[in-house]
Amino acid sequence: MSDFSNETPKLSADEKLNLLVEFGARISCELRLDKLLDIIAQQITHMLDVGRCTIYLKDAERNELWSKIAQGRGLEHTEIRVPLDGETVTSIVARTGQTINLADAYEDKRFSMAVDMVTDFRTHTLLAVPLKNNSGKVLGVFQVANKADGSPFDKKDEGILLLLATLAASSIEIAKLYQDVHVAQLETIYRLAVTAEYRDQQDTRAHLKNISIISYLLALALGMSKKEAELIKNASPLHDIGKVALADNILLKPGRLTPEEFEIMKSHTIYGGRILEGAHSKVLQVAHKMSLYHHEKWNGTGYPKGLQGEDIPLEARIITVADVFDALCVSRVYKKAWKTDDAYLYILGESGKAFDPRIVAAFKKIYSSVRKLYLNQTPQAKTPAPAPAAARKQTV
Ligand code: C2E
Ligand code: SIN
Ligand code: SIN
Ligand code: FE
């Protein structure tokens, strides 16, 4: 790693090149925006030897700048938002595209202490440069504070930070685009799933949310990676998509189905399989397996194919536990809601029968979390369930 302390009066062309190559290599392969911003901030902190690096991005829709900053050591990230038309350093740099360099931040009325207050960090020197894309549009602001040697930031620091910002801009733009597309995809999936469940569920949203949380926790408890678990979580709302093809007189029948009617009901798995057949995206491929096989049983007595054991795709073996547990815990036109703990005992009792014993063992591990999920919800509520606390954003 190059040394940028004040002993080196000017950055040599070689140093500059090394710096760019190393920085570029580390940031170019990361597509997830949050991760990318973390990596950039880490790299800059290291390269400039500063106490803190904060990256703000513009949120044009809300006319704000936002940043995720770590509180304390290794603690969770808090989202900070500042108005774009404000009169503090970050807003001014974003608006004017000019650099601001403060030798004594607390002495300058443009400096806002808001971030220091939530982070227990005392800013002494501060350098803020605009983050511009290739066409000169300001995407946000890069800020560094407190050089390790205590000296104020100089012209060379400004140059380096601007250079790094320029280099990071395209990666950030790509990651933002990627995130937008990803978010749009998830939203589409979710809305499609709501459409499918709309007719027969009292509280579609809570039902879909619960199932996706349970399958996510199951996947993690089974030792799957976070990425695989997220795929399962995101695909899970579509497992009953085939129900769109069922007529009301069957789907909404307020009582037990006749054997003939149940035969028709079973076809929702086949329809789901057809709807998602040949999908290209990973998440829809997982959803395809789930929708086709979520009523298969470990002992081979399920439908539509009567598959047995590990012939049933793992994703389907996971979703079936989540689906049955949730179906038991809520009321349907044809049945009353069970007590959460009774539903749990039912799941345990079906180990090796309807369900893969490994998945039931994983369900045991996560049950205390699952139980809380249901205790916090009023069954049959018509309003959407509250988001889990961890998912809520804290805004300063
Ligand atoms: P669903 O209501 O989402 O239920 C999903 C699965 O949860 C069921 O799959 C079943 O394995 C389990 N489950 C739900 N309620 C109970 C229950 O009270 N006792 C037990 N032991 N298990 C339960 P299944 O049986 O293959 O049913 C698939 C879908 O067919 C159900 O989805 C529901 O939409 C419909 N369905 C099943 N039975 C009836 C019924 O008697 N009347 C009506 N109207 N619909 C039914
Ligand atoms: C944005 O991408 O502009 C806002 C995203 C966020 O608030 O996390
Ligand atoms: C500012 O906008 O005044 C800078 C606040 C900070 O990020 O420390
Ligand atoms: Fe189903």
Side-chain angles (χ1 to χ4, degrees), residues 294-296 315-325 354-355:
H294 73 279
H295 286 293
E296 297 290 358
E315 297 90 335
R317 281 181 266 145
I318 291 175
I319 188 75
T320 190
V321 171
D323 184 34
V324 171
F325 180 78
F355 308 131

Side-chain angles (χ1 to χ4, degrees), residues 197 200-201 207 211 239-240 243 246 248-258 261-262 265-266 268-269 294-295 297 303 320 323-336 338 346 350 354-355:
E197 308 249 344
D200 70 324
Q201 309 278 335
H207 163 71
I211 288 187
H239 72 279
D240 263 344
K243 281 185 178 174
L246 297 178
D248 279 356
N249 66 341
I250 291 182
L251 188 64
L252 303 183
K253 183 174 174 181
R256 296 223 59 84
L257 297 172
T258 65
E261 288 167 337
F262 193 62
M265 172 58 85
K266 284 176 174 179
H268 78 280
T269 52
H294 73 279
H295 286 293
K297 292 184 177 173
Y303 59 88
T320 190
D323 184 34
V324 171
F325 180 78
D326 186 76
L328 292 175
C329 289
V330 300
S331 67
R332 292 277 199 262
V333 282
Y334 67 94
K335 62 168 271 287
K336 284 209 178 101
W338 291 28
Y346 179 84
E350 288 292 315
F355 308 131

Side-chain angles (χ1 to χ4, degrees), residues 22 70 123 166 200 215 278 338:
E22 183 164 346
T123 303
T166 307
D200 70 324
S215 24
W338 291 28

Side-chain angles (χ1 to χ4, degrees), residues 17-35:
L17 194 62
N18 280 342
L19 170 79
L20 290 180
V21 168
E22 183 164 346
F23 184 67
R26 294 202 183 191
I27 65 173
S28 63
C29 34
E30 184 52 66
L31 274 176
R32 288 161 295 179
L33 186 59
D34 280 357
K35 260 270 174 60

Side-chain angles (χ1 to χ4, degrees), residues 46 50 59 122 187 200 215 223 277 280 295 303 308 338 340:
H46 188 61
V50 292
D59 179 347
R122 169 77 152 91
E187 192 178 337
D200 70 324
S215 24
E277 177 93 67
H280 286 286
H295 286 293
Y303 59 88
Q308 203 172 349
W338 291 28
T340 312

Side-chain angles (χ1 to χ4, degrees), residues 35-321:
K35 260 270 174 60
L36 176 68
L37 296 177
D38 266 354
I39 293 174
I40 294 172
Q42 267 170 33
Q43 288 285 306
I44 291 179
T45 305
H46 188 61
M47 286 173 171
L48 289 171
D49 204 6
V50 292
R52 179 159 85 195
C53 172
T54 319
I55 301 172
Y56 287 90
L57 294 186
K58 238 187 207 175
D59 179 347
E61 237 166 76
R62 288 170 63 171
N63 206 34
E64 285 172 343
L65 291 149
W66 63 273
S67 178
K68 297 228 168 84
I69 52 158
Q71 275 181 296
R73 271 170 214 283
L75 284 181
E76 78 254 45
H77 286 56
T78 302
E79 191 176 276
I80 299 279
R81 286 188 167 264
V82 290
L84 204 47
D85 54 12
E87 287 308 323
T88 59
V89 174
T90 318
S91 318
I92 298 169
V93 173
R95 235 181 12 246
T96 64
Q98 274 158 16
T99 295
I100 291 183
N101 187 347
L102 305 181
D104 187 352
Y106 279 46
E107 287 300 307
D108 197 296
K109 66 178 190 322
R110 292 169 297 174
F111 178 75
S112 151
M113 279 178 237
V115 175
D116 278 10
M117 307 268 264
V118 290
T119 51
D120 254 337
F121 181 89
R122 169 77 152 91
T123 303
H124 297 286
T125 58
L126 182 77
L127 174 63
V129 305
L131 169 69
K132 291 185 188 168
N133 71 3
N134 283 339
S135 37
K137 189 178 151 220
V138 178
L139 304 177
V141 175
F142 272 25
Q143 261 175 219
V144 287
N146 298 4
K147 236 155 85 161
D149 65 6
S151 65
F153 292 101
D154 56 25
K155 283 284 168 208
K156 200 183 78 186
D157 298 318
E158 291 182 18
I160 294 170
L161 193 57
L162 265 172
L163 197 63
L164 296 179
T166 307
L167 195 60
S170 60
S171 296
I172 290 177
E173 270 197 316
I174 291 169
K176 277 189 85 170
L177 269 177
Y178 184 78
Q179 176 179 287
D180 288 350
V181 171
H182 185 63
V183 167
Q185 185 195 36
L186 294 186
E187 192 178 337
T188 307
I189 288 178
Y190 184 73
R191 285 174 186 266
L192 197 61
V194 169
T195 308
E197 308 249 344
Y198 197 73
R199 290 180 297 157
D200 70 324
Q201 309 278 335
Q202 305 245 10
D203 190 348
T204 314
R205 279 160 213 279
H207 163 71
L208 293 177
K209 187 146 268 165
N210 289 342
I211 288 187
S212 67
I213 292 172
I214 296 172
S215 24
Y216 181 66
L217 294 176
L218 280 175
L220 290 180
L222 286 162
M224 296 171 88
S225 71
K226 221 177 147 189
K227 218 170 165 180
E228 290 170 306
E230 262 167 27
L231 217 54
I232 286 181
K233 173 177 83 179
N234 295 335
S236 66
L238 286 178
H239 72 279
D240 263 344
I241 185 73
K243 281 185 178 174
V244 289
L246 297 178
D248 279 356
N249 66 341
I250 291 182
L251 188 64
L252 303 183
K253 183 174 174 181
R256 296 223 59 84
L257 297 172
T258 65
E260 295 76 30
E261 288 167 337
F262 193 62
E263 282 310 305
I264 297 173
M265 172 58 85
K266 284 176 174 179
S267 66
H268 78 280
T269 52
I270 304 279
Y271 287 125
R274 278 194 210 147
I275 290 169
L276 295 166
E277 177 93 67
H280 286 286
S281 75
K282 271 192 194 151
V283 62
L284 291 188
Q285 284 168 3
V286 172
H288 172 254
K289 289 185 209 163
M290 285 180 170
S291 62
L292 185 53
Y293 298 122
H294 73 279
H295 286 293
E296 297 290 358
K297 292 184 177 173
W298 182 253
N299 63 10
T301 60
Y303 59 88
K305 298 198 177 157
L307 295 184
Q308 203 172 349
E310 295 190 353
D311 287 345
I312 307 166
L314 178 62
E315 297 90 335
R317 281 181 266 145
I318 291 175
I319 188 75
T320 190
V321 171

